[in-house]
Amino acid sequence: MTPLIHLTGITKTLKGQGEPRSILSGVDLTLHAGRSVAILGRSGSGKSTLLSVLGLFDRADGGRYLLGDKDITRLPEQRAAALRSAEFGFVFQRFFLLKHLTAAQNVAMAFVNGQGWLPRGKRRARVMAALDLVGIAHLAEHRPPRLSGGEQQRVAIARALVREPRVLLADEPTGALDTETGALVVDVLRDATSRGCGLVLVTHDRDHARKMDDVLELREGRFA
Amino acid sequence: MGSGKLRSALVIGGQGIRARKLRTFLSMTSLFLGVLAVLTVQAGAEIAERAMLSGVELTRGKDGTLQMFVPQEEPALGVVERTLAGRSDGVAVVGMNAIIGEPGVRPINDGAVPFDHPRVGGPEGGSGKPDGQAIEVQLEALTGDVRGFRPFRQVSGQWLDFASAPALAPRIVVNEEAAIGLRRHRVPGEMALPGAAVHVTPQVVGVVEDGSPRPSVYVRMDELRTWPPGSSNADTSRGGSRVQVMLSPSATDLVQTLRSRLIGVGVPADELDAHPIDSREELEGQLSLVRLIFLGMAALVLLIGVAGILNVGLATVGERVEELALRRAVGTSRLLLAGIVLAETLLTGLLTAVAAIGTGAAGVKVGSALLGPSYPALQGISFPWQAGVAGVVAGVAAGVLGGLVPAIRAARIPIAAVMRA
C-alpha cells in the first residue's frame, strides 16, 4: 500500500548570520493513511523545522518528499499553496484565531483562500459539521476572547479538519493548555485518524505521544 | 486572478476594514483631503469652463454653430432673407448702431459704450452735435429666433414673436445694459437709424441677458424694413458691412442652397465659407494651463494621503503578521495575500472617493444655492461627472500606491518563522 507521506534523506540547513546550521540531516519518515505518529525531541532538535517541510512552509535542501506517489520536494509556491489547502490541516501551539471573527468564521477561513469557492450555504454546513466534530458547534457564533483555551484549540482543530485533509500536522497543540484539556485535545486529534486522516503530532509530552500509533524521537537532526 | 481569488480578496479585505474601523477611518481622513483637492480642481475647472462657455455662447454662439458672413447689400441681403424665411435652422443678424431719444443730439453714451464708461471727447465729443437725452444702442435685426444659436436668458417680458404679422411700430427686446440706459435716462421713445429718413417708435417687449456689456437691442428684420424704407442700407459699425448668418451644424442643405443662391447673384464663392464656432476648444486651451497647475497642487495633497495609507498599511501588516502567515498556511498564495492587502487599501481609497464625491456634490449644491443669486453663472450648476471620475481615479490610484509596499511585504512573510515564534 502506498504510504500517505514518504520522506527519504531530508536535509535542511539554516543560513542566517554566522555559520550555516544543519537542522535536519537525513530524516526518513513514512506515514500511512489513518495512522498517527508522534515526534518527540528536545528544543532545537528540528521538530518544528521538519513539520515546516512536511507542511510545505519550507523546502528541504536535500532528500525526497512523496505525497502519495507524487514527488513534491521542489514544488513552486503557487502549487504548494494549493496543496496546503487541499491536502493538509494545521494545528499550532498558539491557536492563531482571529479575534474579530466568530468561531465559525475562523473555521471558514480555510475556504476563503482563493482555492475554489464554496457557496455560503455549503460552506456554513461544512463549518458547522467540523465544529460539531470537535464538540463545540454551540459556540459557533462566539468570538475567541469569549472562549477558553481548550475551546479555542478545538476551533483551530475544526479549521484544520474542515477541508477534510489527508494529513493533519499538529505542532505542540497542547503546549498552551492544562494537562486535562491537553489530553482532550489530543483525543480529538486522534479521532481524526479514524476517518482515514494521517496525523503527525510534534510534542514534548510523552503521555500524549504514547496515544499515537508510532513514536519517533528526533536527535541532532535525525530520528534516533 | 480568478473569481474565487477576487472574491476571497474582497471578502477578507472587507473583514479587515470592519475589524480595524478606526485605523481605516484615519487612513481615509488623510486621503480624503487629497481626493477632495483633486475633485475641487476638476469640478472647479469644469464649472468655470461651463460658466465661461455659457457667457461666450451668448455673444458668439453655441459651439458647433456654422457661421457665414455675407455682404450687407442688395441683392445678397434679400437672398439671405428669402432663403432663411420660416427656417429655424438658420438666422441672419444685421448689426447697426441706432439712437433712441431726442433726434439730432449727441447720445449720452456716444458710440454705444456701456453707461458706466467715462464719456470721451469733451462736451460735444467732436461730433458737432449738442448733448441731449438720447442713448446709442447696438441694434441687431434678426430674420428669425436667434436663441437657438445664442441662448439668451429672458430677464423680463417676452422675446420677439416671429410667428405673428410684422407690427408697424417695431417691437424690440433690449439687453440689460440698454434697459439700464432707458431706466436711468428716461429718453423719449423715438429711434433713429443712421441713413434712415424716418424715425420709428419702438415698443419694448422684453429684457434679456445677452452677455454683451454694450447696450443692445434686438428687432425683427421685417418689422424694421416695413417701417423706414431703405433702413437695411444703413451703415453698420459691427462686422464691417457684412451680415452674420448662423446655421445649425446639421443644416448642410441650407448652407448649400444659400451658397448657390448667393453665388448666383454674384457673391464670390471664396467669401462664403461656413466656419464652425469652436469656443470650447479656445477656452480649454486657456484653462488647461491653470488646470494643470492646480492639479499639480492637488496631486501633492493626494501624495500626503498616499503616504498616510502607506504608513497605516505598513503598521497594519506588522500587526497582522500572524494572521497573514496563518492565511498562507491554510492555502492562500503569496499573490492572493498581496491582493488581500491591496483590496483593503483599494476599498479604503474607493470609500474615500465616494465620501469626497458626496461632499463635493453637496458643496456644489450649497454653493450654487448660496452664491447663485450673486453670480448667475453658478445658478443651476450640477456636480460635473468628470470630477466624479477624477475622484474615483484619484481614490483608486492612492489606494494602489499606498497599498503596494504593504502588499509586497505581506506576500514575503515567512510562514514557518511566524508559526514557530
Side-chain angles (χ1 to χ4, degrees):
Chain A
M1 185 179 151
T2 311
L4 195 55
I5 284 177
H6 188 61
L7 300 184
T8 43
I10 292 291
T11 60
K12 180 76 186 169
T13 302
L14 289 188
K15 301 174 191 85
Q17 289 168 345
E19 286 293 299
R21 198 160 62 95
S22 173
I23 304 294
L24 302 175
S25 43
V27 172
D28 299 326
L29 174 72
T30 302
L31 176 71
H32 287 275
R35 301 281 295 177
S36 58
V37 59
I39 299 176
L40 291 166
R42 288 186 305 180
S43 296
S45 60
K47 306 187 296 293
S48 295
T49 304
L50 176 59
L51 213 66
S52 293
V53 171
L54 280 169
L56 305 174
F57 298 166
D58 237 340
R59 258 190 217 166
D61 297 333
R64 196 162 183 228
Y65 181 0
L66 294 178
L67 180 70
D69 50 7
K70 209 186 305 178
D71 188 341
I72 58 168
T73 319
R74 306 236 169 276
L75 218 51
E77 150 63 20
Q78 197 77 15
R79 285 186 58 202
L83 215 56
R84 275 200 299 274
S85 166
E87 307 284 10
F88 295 93
F90 301 94
V91 182
F92 305 96
Q93 179 178 351
R94 289 186 296 140
F95 322 121
F96 293 120
L97 299 181
L98 303 189
K99 288 181 187 137
H100 60 273
L101 301 182
T102 62
Q105 286 170 330
N106 267 289
V107 175
M109 256 183 83
F111 288 114
V112 191
N113 59 6
Q115 312 290 353
W117 187 261
L118 265 190
R120 186 191 289 263
K122 281 188 182 169
R123 205 166 64 213
R124 177 80 184 169
R126 296 270 296 269
V127 165
M128 291 311 293
L131 284 170
D132 194 36
L133 208 63
V134 296
I136 53 163
H138 60 289
L139 300 175
E141 300 312 318
H142 288 231
R143 288 194 157 76
R146 292 188 56 198
L147 301 174
S148 70
E151 288 166 342
Q152 288 189 46
Q153 192 57 297
R154 285 187 197 210
V155 174
I157 294 170
R159 183 179 62 201
L161 292 175
V162 72
R163 290 197 79 133
E164 296 169 2
R166 283 206 287 165
V167 183
L168 195 56
L169 303 174
D171 190 3
E172 301 191 29
T174 60
L177 304 174
D178 60 68
T179 314
E180 196 178 333
T181 311
L184 282 171
V185 164
V186 170
D187 290 343
V188 170
L189 288 171
R190 184 78 175 77
D191 284 348
T193 60
S194 63
R195 287 182 296 280
C197 176
L199 169 65
V200 178
L201 173 73
V202 167
T203 182
H204 281 295
D205 192 317
R206 289 189 180 273
D207 291 336
H208 296 329
R210 272 193 288 274
K211 291 182 179 176
M212 304 296 120
D213 298 320
D214 298 302
V215 179
L216 300 170
E217 189 157 356
L218 206 54
R219 279 189 203 152
E220 293 171 1
R222 65 178 64 200
F223 288 123
Chain B
M1 201 180 274
S3 71
K5 288 184 173 65
L6 187 66
R7 275 195 229 188
S8 297
L10 290 175
V11 166
I12 298 168
Q15 284 175 349
I17 286 175
R18 279 202 301 275
R20 285 169 286 277
K21 290 189 191 81
L22 180 62
R23 194 161 276 203
T24 304
F25 175 73
L26 290 175
S27 292
M28 284 177 68
T29 307
S30 67
L31 186 58
F32 180 78
L33 292 175
V35 176
L36 198 61
V38 172
L39 270 178
T40 307
V41 171
Q42 190 66 25
E46 291 294 335
I47 290 168
E49 190 178 302
R50 272 184 216 174
M52 286 169 73
L53 195 63
S54 75
V56 171
E57 278 179 344
L58 289 177
T59 53
R60 287 193 58 190
K62 281 183 182 171
D63 240 32
T65 298
L66 297 172
Q67 198 172 218
M68 186 191 277
F69 289 97
V70 177
Q72 189 180 320
E73 58 198 26
E74 294 299 350
L77 187 57
V79 167
V80 170
E81 276 192 77
R82 281 191 299 279
T83 308
L84 298 181
R87 305 277 307 225
S88 61
D89 51 356
V91 171
V93 183
V94 177
M96 65 193 81
N97 277 17
I99 293 169
I100 303 175
E102 281 184 81
V105 297
R106 183 187 174 213
I108 291 157
N109 62 328
D110 201 7
V113 297
F115 292 99
D116 290 332
H117 275 211
R119 205 168 183 184
V120 290
E124 290 185 353
S127 65
K129 292 178 184 171
D131 290 346
Q133 277 303 95
I135 62 168
E136 189 167 351
V137 294
Q138 182 180 307
L139 182 78
E140 300 205 1
L142 312 169
T143 60
D145 192 347
V146 77
R147 292 175 306 171
F149 306 99
R150 293 168 65 186
F152 297 157
R153 288 185 275 270
Q154 197 73 36
V155 176
S156 64
Q158 57 201 11
W159 178 245
L160 298 170
D161 177 12
F162 286 89
S164 61
L168 282 175
R171 290 163 293 188
I172 61 170
V173 169
V174 300
N175 75 350
E176 287 174 303
E177 186 64 15
I180 288 171
L182 290 173
R183 200 167 45 240
R184 195 184 287 172
H185 300 292
R186 306 221 163 255
V187 295
E190 198 172 316
M191 184 162 74
L193 301 167
V198 187
H199 290 178
V200 298
T201 308
Q203 312 171 52
V204 180
V205 295
V207 179
V208 291
E209 183 195 341
D210 66 352
S212 172
R214 300 174 70 191
S216 302
V217 166
Y218 298 91
V219 63
R220 274 173 59 166
M221 193 182 285
D222 52 359
E223 288 189 358
L224 207 60
R225 273 179 171 282
T226 53
W227 187 237
S231 66
S232 62
N233 293 325
D235 295 335
T236 60
S237 63
R238 188 171 173 277
S241 54
R242 303 186 87 77
V243 178
Q244 182 191 22
V245 182
M246 302 178 97
L247 299 145
S248 161
S250 58
T252 46
D253 60 328
L254 182 58
V255 174
Q256 205 54 42
T257 308
L258 191 58
R259 266 178 63 88
S260 306
R261 288 182 182 175
L262 286 168
I263 291 167
V265 297
V267 179
D270 58 354
E271 289 182 17
L272 294 173
D273 285 335
H275 297 289
I277 294 171
D278 53 0
S279 311
R280 181 179 291 274
E281 202 175 308
E282 285 175 25
L283 279 177
E284 276 176 356
Q286 291 167 17
L287 276 174
S288 62
L289 181 64
V290 179
R291 189 193 295 224
L292 266 178
I293 292 168
F294 278 99
L295 269 179
M297 287 157 68
L300 279 179
V301 181
L302 192 64
L303 264 182
I304 297 170
V306 171
I309 283 204
L310 179 65
N311 186 24
V312 172
L314 284 174
T316 305
V317 166
E319 272 180 18
R320 295 170 68 189
V321 68
E322 284 184 358
E323 177 199 334
L324 296 170
L326 176 73
R327 290 197 185 279
R328 280 201 61 207
V330 298
T332 307
S333 64
R334 286 181 197 274
L335 187 67
L336 180 57
L337 212 58
I340 289 166
V341 175
L342 262 185
E344 269 193 45
T345 56
L346 206 65
L347 287 172
T348 305
L350 268 178
L351 284 174
T352 308
V354 169
I357 289 168
T359 307
V364 166
K365 206 165 189 176
V366 170
S368 170
L370 290 178
L371 302 174
S374 314
Y375 301 95
L378 294 179
Q379 279 173 5
I381 54 163
S382 56
F383 187 71
W385 64 266
Q386 295 93 332
V389 172
V392 170
V393 169
V396 169
V400 170
L401 284 176
L404 209 56
V405 176
I408 292 169
R409 200 165 272 196
R412 287 184 178 164
I413 289 173
I415 318 175
V418 176
M419 294 315 196
R420 271 201 299 262

